[in-house]
Amino acid sequence: NHAMTLLNDGRVLTSGGMTGKGSWSTWVSSDTTELYDSKNGSFTVGPKMTRPRNAHTSTVRANGSVLIVGGVAWGATSPKVANDLYDPVKNTMTSVSYPGGSLPTGHFSMLLKDGRVLVVDDAKVVAFSPTMGGVWDTLPGIPDKRWSFTATLLNNNKVLVAGGVVNDTPYTFAKTALMLHL
């Protein structure tokens, strides 16, 4: 339940996940990051995220920084706080707010052609904009709340959202695909 992201310089950022042994009740989310250098096959420790998390996303932005969004802090005592922005040049992690209070889980994020990072979470659709140090734009939501879906950026700058779970009692799966017009 960690995230791995290929950085512009060829290294791979691994963030979060879970640690533990034995039964699931002993497992906890991690706040660690590691960097894998494919040139020499080595791992180095990166900066800690602002909170432990697993089941999150990480997206490389146009400027090379990485936006780490959402996730679950399973077994951790830290409160739900902001998302993180990783700077690979300075090797630093900075806290970033998220609109609407609760952090997304079961969501999807992707880099759009205009440099924004799109996050689709349940019925909420937002985009992290690189202008003015990073602000969130709220976009039109989707009609049916869903999680664990896929999304693909099309050549016409629309996003196709397909699949996912729309109800968890009992589990009901989405039977329709959606088109987001950005």
Side-chain angles (χ1 to χ4, degrees), residues 59-85:
T59 306
V60 176
R61 297 174 58 221
N63 68 0
S65 66
V66 178
L67 181 64
I68 301 172
V69 175
V72 177
W74 195 8
T77 57
S78 80
K80 286 187 174 183
V81 294
N83 302 292
D84 292 309
L85 193 59

mmCIF file of all heavy atoms in Angstrom, residues 59-85:
data_model
loop_
_atom_site.group_PDB
_atom_site.id
_atom_site.type_symbol
_atom_site.label_atom_id
_atom_site.label_comp_id
_atom_site.label_asym_id
_atom_site.label_seq_id
_atom_site.Cartn_x
_atom_site.Cartn_y
_atom_site.Cartn_z
ATOM 1 N N THR A 59 2.155 12.091 -7.506
ATOM 2 C CA THR A 59 2.172 12.521 -8.899
ATOM 3 C C THR A 59 3.305 13.509 -9.120
ATOM 4 O O THR A 59 3.412 14.509 -8.407
ATOM 5 C CB THR A 59 0.829 13.208 -9.254
ATOM 6 O OG1 THR A 59 -0.245 12.319 -8.925
ATOM 7 C CG2 THR A 59 0.761 13.569 -10.721
ATOM 8 N N VAL A 60 4.143 13.242 -10.124
ATOM 9 C CA VAL A 60 5.210 14.179 -10.476
ATOM 10 C C VAL A 60 4.593 15.352 -11.214
ATOM 11 O O VAL A 60 3.834 15.180 -12.174
ATOM 12 C CB VAL A 60 6.287 13.518 -11.369
ATOM 13 C CG1 VAL A 60 7.333 14.534 -11.799
ATOM 14 C CG2 VAL A 60 6.953 12.374 -10.638
ATOM 15 N N ARG A 61 4.895 16.544 -10.742
ATOM 16 C CA ARG A 61 4.394 17.767 -11.370
ATOM 17 C C ARG A 61 5.336 18.194 -12.490
ATOM 18 O O ARG A 61 6.448 17.695 -12.615
ATOM 19 C CB ARG A 61 4.269 18.864 -10.315
ATOM 20 C CG ARG A 61 3.243 18.484 -9.227
ATOM 21 C CD ARG A 61 3.201 19.477 -8.087
ATOM 22 N NE ARG A 61 2.895 20.808 -8.561
ATOM 23 C CZ ARG A 61 3.497 21.904 -8.113
ATOM 24 N NH1 ARG A 61 4.420 21.851 -7.178
ATOM 25 N NH2 ARG A 61 3.157 23.074 -8.580
ATOM 26 N N ALA A 62 4.919 19.149 -13.291
ATOM 27 C CA ALA A 62 5.710 19.621 -14.432
ATOM 28 C C ALA A 62 7.076 20.149 -14.005
ATOM 29 O O ALA A 62 8.057 20.013 -14.732
ATOM 30 C CB ALA A 62 4.937 20.694 -15.196
ATOM 31 N N ASN A 63 7.168 20.729 -12.793
ATOM 32 C CA ASN A 63 8.452 21.277 -12.324
ATOM 33 C C ASN A 63 9.332 20.219 -11.648
ATOM 34 O O ASN A 63 10.397 20.537 -11.154
ATOM 35 C CB ASN A 63 8.213 22.451 -11.361
ATOM 36 C CG ASN A 63 7.580 22.018 -10.045
ATOM 37 O OD1 ASN A 63 7.300 20.844 -9.820
ATOM 38 N ND2 ASN A 63 7.352 22.988 -9.176
ATOM 39 N N GLY A 64 8.872 18.965 -11.615
ATOM 40 C CA GLY A 64 9.669 17.881 -11.043
ATOM 41 C C GLY A 64 9.341 17.561 -9.596
ATOM 42 O O GLY A 64 9.747 16.519 -9.091
ATOM 43 N N SER A 65 8.625 18.442 -8.905
ATOM 44 C CA SER A 65 8.236 18.134 -7.525
ATOM 45 C C SER A 65 7.127 17.074 -7.551
ATOM 46 O O SER A 65 6.521 16.818 -8.584
ATOM 47 C CB SER A 65 7.781 19.394 -6.793
ATOM 48 O OG SER A 65 6.590 19.899 -7.356
ATOM 49 N N VAL A 66 6.870 16.453 -6.410
ATOM 50 C CA VAL A 66 5.890 15.374 -6.326
ATOM 51 C C VAL A 66 4.804 15.762 -5.324
ATOM 52 O O VAL A 66 5.104 16.088 -4.175
ATOM 53 C CB VAL A 66 6.550 14.053 -5.879
ATOM 54 C CG1 VAL A 66 5.520 12.938 -5.742
ATOM 55 C CG2 VAL A 66 7.657 13.650 -6.846
ATOM 56 N N LEU A 67 3.542 15.707 -5.763
ATOM 57 C CA LEU A 67 2.412 15.958 -4.885
ATOM 58 C C LEU A 67 1.922 14.617 -4.347
ATOM 59 O O LEU A 67 1.531 13.740 -5.119
ATOM 60 C CB LEU A 67 1.291 16.673 -5.641
ATOM 61 C CG LEU A 67 0.049 17.017 -4.820
ATOM 62 C CD1 LEU A 67 0.376 18.009 -3.703
ATOM 63 C CD2 LEU A 67 -1.043 17.561 -5.725
ATOM 64 N N ILE A 68 1.982 14.449 -3.028
ATOM 65 C CA ILE A 68 1.525 13.229 -2.355
ATOM 66 C C ILE A 68 0.182 13.547 -1.717
ATOM 67 O O ILE A 68 0.084 14.446 -0.886
ATOM 68 C CB ILE A 68 2.555 12.763 -1.309
ATOM 69 C CG1 ILE A 68 3.900 12.494 -1.990
ATOM 70 C CG2 ILE A 68 2.049 11.526 -0.578
ATOM 71 C CD1 ILE A 68 5.043 12.219 -1.029
ATOM 72 N N VAL A 69 -0.857 12.809 -2.120
ATOM 73 C CA VAL A 69 -2.225 13.141 -1.726
ATOM 74 C C VAL A 69 -2.889 11.978 -1.001
ATOM 75 O O VAL A 69 -2.826 10.837 -1.444
ATOM 76 C CB VAL A 69 -3.077 13.510 -2.963
ATOM 77 C CG1 VAL A 69 -4.532 13.740 -2.595
ATOM 78 C CG2 VAL A 69 -2.508 14.734 -3.659
ATOM 79 N N GLY A 70 -3.568 12.323 0.108
ATOM 80 C CA GLY A 70 -4.486 11.418 0.773
ATOM 81 C C GLY A 70 -3.868 10.214 1.424
ATOM 82 O O GLY A 70 -2.708 10.213 1.818
ATOM 83 N N GLY A 71 -4.677 9.173 1.514
ATOM 84 C CA GLY A 71 -4.266 7.939 2.140
ATOM 85 C C GLY A 71 -4.906 7.738 3.496
ATOM 86 O O GLY A 71 -5.705 8.534 3.962
ATOM 87 N N VAL A 72 -4.538 6.643 4.111
ATOM 88 C CA VAL A 72 -5.076 6.239 5.399
ATOM 89 C C VAL A 72 -3.932 6.154 6.398
ATOM 90 O O VAL A 72 -2.860 5.655 6.080
ATOM 91 C CB VAL A 72 -5.750 4.859 5.280
ATOM 92 C CG1 VAL A 72 -6.270 4.376 6.618
ATOM 93 C CG2 VAL A 72 -6.856 4.886 4.244
ATOM 94 N N ALA A 73 -4.148 6.640 7.608
ATOM 95 C CA ALA A 73 -3.156 6.528 8.675
ATOM 96 C C ALA A 73 -3.573 5.377 9.584
ATOM 97 O O ALA A 73 -4.008 5.571 10.715
ATOM 98 C CB ALA A 73 -3.032 7.835 9.451
ATOM 99 N N TRP A 74 -3.449 4.151 9.092
ATOM 100 C CA TRP A 74 -3.900 2.964 9.802
ATOM 101 C C TRP A 74 -2.998 2.658 10.993
ATOM 102 O O TRP A 74 -1.787 2.538 10.856
ATOM 103 C CB TRP A 74 -3.918 1.789 8.856
ATOM 104 C CG TRP A 74 -4.685 0.605 9.360
ATOM 105 C CD1 TRP A 74 -5.465 0.536 10.458
ATOM 106 C CD2 TRP A 74 -4.735 -0.671 8.755
ATOM 107 N NE1 TRP A 74 -6.009 -0.707 10.586
ATOM 108 C CE2 TRP A 74 -5.573 -1.481 9.546
ATOM 109 C CE3 TRP A 74 -4.162 -1.230 7.620
ATOM 110 C CZ2 TRP A 74 -5.841 -2.807 9.243
ATOM 111 C CZ3 TRP A 74 -4.428 -2.544 7.325
ATOM 112 C CH2 TRP A 74 -5.268 -3.319 8.127
ATOM 113 N N GLY A 75 -3.577 2.576 12.169
ATOM 114 C CA GLY A 75 -2.816 2.232 13.363
ATOM 115 C C GLY A 75 -1.941 3.350 13.883
ATOM 116 O O GLY A 75 -1.232 3.191 14.861
ATOM 117 N N ALA A 76 -1.971 4.490 13.235
ATOM 118 C CA ALA A 76 -1.131 5.612 13.640
ATOM 119 C C ALA A 76 -1.932 6.557 14.525
ATOM 120 O O ALA A 76 -3.143 6.655 14.406
ATOM 121 C CB ALA A 76 -0.608 6.357 12.417
ATOM 122 N N THR A 77 -1.227 7.233 15.407
ATOM 123 C CA THR A 77 -1.905 8.158 16.307
ATOM 124 C C THR A 77 -1.893 9.587 15.793
ATOM 125 O O THR A 77 -2.517 10.448 16.370
ATOM 126 C CB THR A 77 -1.246 8.135 17.699
ATOM 127 O OG1 THR A 77 0.141 8.451 17.549
ATOM 128 C CG2 THR A 77 -1.399 6.769 18.339
ATOM 129 N N SER A 78 -1.182 9.831 14.682
ATOM 130 C CA SER A 78 -1.114 11.209 14.189
ATOM 131 C C SER A 78 -2.450 11.606 13.570
ATOM 132 O O SER A 78 -3.129 10.781 12.973
ATOM 133 C CB SER A 78 0.003 11.362 13.171
ATOM 134 O OG SER A 78 -0.402 10.895 11.919
ATOM 135 N N PRO A 79 -2.830 12.865 13.710
ATOM 136 C CA PRO A 79 -4.094 13.311 13.134
ATOM 137 C C PRO A 79 -3.997 13.401 11.619
ATOM 138 O O PRO A 79 -2.910 13.441 11.061
ATOM 139 C CB PRO A 79 -4.263 14.706 13.746
ATOM 140 C CG PRO A 79 -2.870 15.160 14.001
ATOM 141 C CD PRO A 79 -2.097 13.920 14.383
ATOM 142 N N LYS A 80 -5.161 13.445 10.982
ATOM 143 C CA LYS A 80 -5.167 13.688 9.540
ATOM 144 C C LYS A 80 -4.766 15.134 9.319
ATOM 145 O O LYS A 80 -5.433 16.036 9.794
ATOM 146 C CB LYS A 80 -6.547 13.421 8.959
ATOM 147 C CG LYS A 80 -6.889 11.971 8.865
ATOM 148 C CD LYS A 80 -8.191 11.806 8.122
ATOM 149 C CE LYS A 80 -8.472 10.346 7.890
ATOM 150 N NZ LYS A 80 -9.678 10.128 7.116
ATOM 151 N N VAL A 81 -3.679 15.325 8.628
ATOM 152 C CA VAL A 81 -3.203 16.674 8.335
ATOM 153 C C VAL A 81 -3.043 16.818 6.836
ATOM 154 O O VAL A 81 -3.554 16.012 6.085
ATOM 155 C CB VAL A 81 -1.869 16.971 9.073
ATOM 156 C CG1 VAL A 81 -2.087 16.989 10.558
ATOM 157 C CG2 VAL A 81 -0.797 15.968 8.713
ATOM 158 N N ALA A 82 -2.312 17.815 6.443
ATOM 159 C CA ALA A 82 -2.174 18.162 5.033
ATOM 160 C C ALA A 82 -1.479 17.081 4.220
ATOM 161 O O ALA A 82 -0.875 16.159 4.755
ATOM 162 C CB ALA A 82 -1.399 19.466 4.928
ATOM 163 N N ASN A 83 -1.562 17.248 2.925
ATOM 164 C CA ASN A 83 -0.830 16.416 1.979
ATOM 165 C C ASN A 83 0.597 16.926 1.933
ATOM 166 O O ASN A 83 0.948 17.877 2.628
ATOM 167 C CB ASN A 83 -1.503 16.513 0.618
ATOM 168 C CG ASN A 83 -2.944 16.089 0.706
ATOM 169 O OD1 ASN A 83 -3.236 14.933 0.924
ATOM 170 N ND2 ASN A 83 -3.849 17.040 0.583
ATOM 171 N N ASP A 84 1.426 16.319 1.109
ATOM 172 C CA ASP A 84 2.836 16.692 1.060
ATOM 173 C C ASP A 84 3.280 17.028 -0.348
ATOM 174 O O ASP A 84 2.763 16.493 -1.320
ATOM 175 C CB ASP A 84 3.708 15.544 1.580
ATOM 176 C CG ASP A 84 3.517 15.301 3.053
ATOM 177 O OD1 ASP A 84 3.602 16.265 3.822
ATOM 178 O OD2 ASP A 84 3.293 14.144 3.436
ATOM 179 N N LEU A 85 4.266 17.921 -0.422
ATOM 180 C CA LEU A 85 4.911 18.276 -1.671
ATOM 181 C C LEU A 85 6.399 17.986 -1.493
ATOM 182 O O LEU A 85 7.053 18.572 -0.626
ATOM 183 C CB LEU A 85 4.671 19.753 -1.984
ATOM 184 C CG LEU A 85 5.013 20.231 -3.382
ATOM 185 C CD1 LEU A 85 4.225 19.458 -4.440
ATOM 186 C CD2 LEU A 85 4.733 21.713 -3.510
#
